[in-house]
């Protein structure tokens, strides 16, 4: 799976989220910029993203994912 495919998948289901994806093969690092996601507990955030990635994880297209979440303000001020 390509990083662009992961980005497209997440953006389709998280319309108010800016998604940045790095990585290749089956290992990806996700940066998710969203006030809505950032307002959730860390577990709820990860559950929401993993729910979208369950198919590619189950079929082996994705093996490892790391995630970092930012509010829009935090992203702009980094």
């Amino acid at each position: 799976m390509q990083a662009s495919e992961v980005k497209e998948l997440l953006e389709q289901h998280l319309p108010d989220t800016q998604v940045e994806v790095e990585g290749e093969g089956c290992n990806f690092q996700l940066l998710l910029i969203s006030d809505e996601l950032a307002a959730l507990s860390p577990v709820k955030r990860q559950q929401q993203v993993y729910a979208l990635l369950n198919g590619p994880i189950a079929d082996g297209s994705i093996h490892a994912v790391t995630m970092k979440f930012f509010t829009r303000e935090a992203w702009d001020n980094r």
Side-chain angles (χ1 to χ4, degrees), residues 5-21 30-38 40 44-53 65 67-70 72:
E5 294 172 294
V6 176
K7 179 179 173 76
E8 184 178 324
L9 172 67
L10 294 174
E11 287 178 337
Q12 285 177 352
H13 298 283
L14 301 169
D16 295 325
T17 302
Q18 179 181 341
V19 179
E20 303 295 331
V21 180
L30 310 178
L31 298 175
L32 299 121
I33 301 99
S34 167
D35 292 334
E36 294 81 15
L37 284 175
L40 299 174
K44 292 287 183 191
R45 285 183 230 159
Q46 288 187 355
Q47 286 174 335
Q48 192 167 355
V49 174
Y50 276 123
L52 300 173
L53 299 176
V65 175
M67 297 178 225
K68 292 186 181 178
F69 296 88
F70 296 89
R72 295 199 181 277

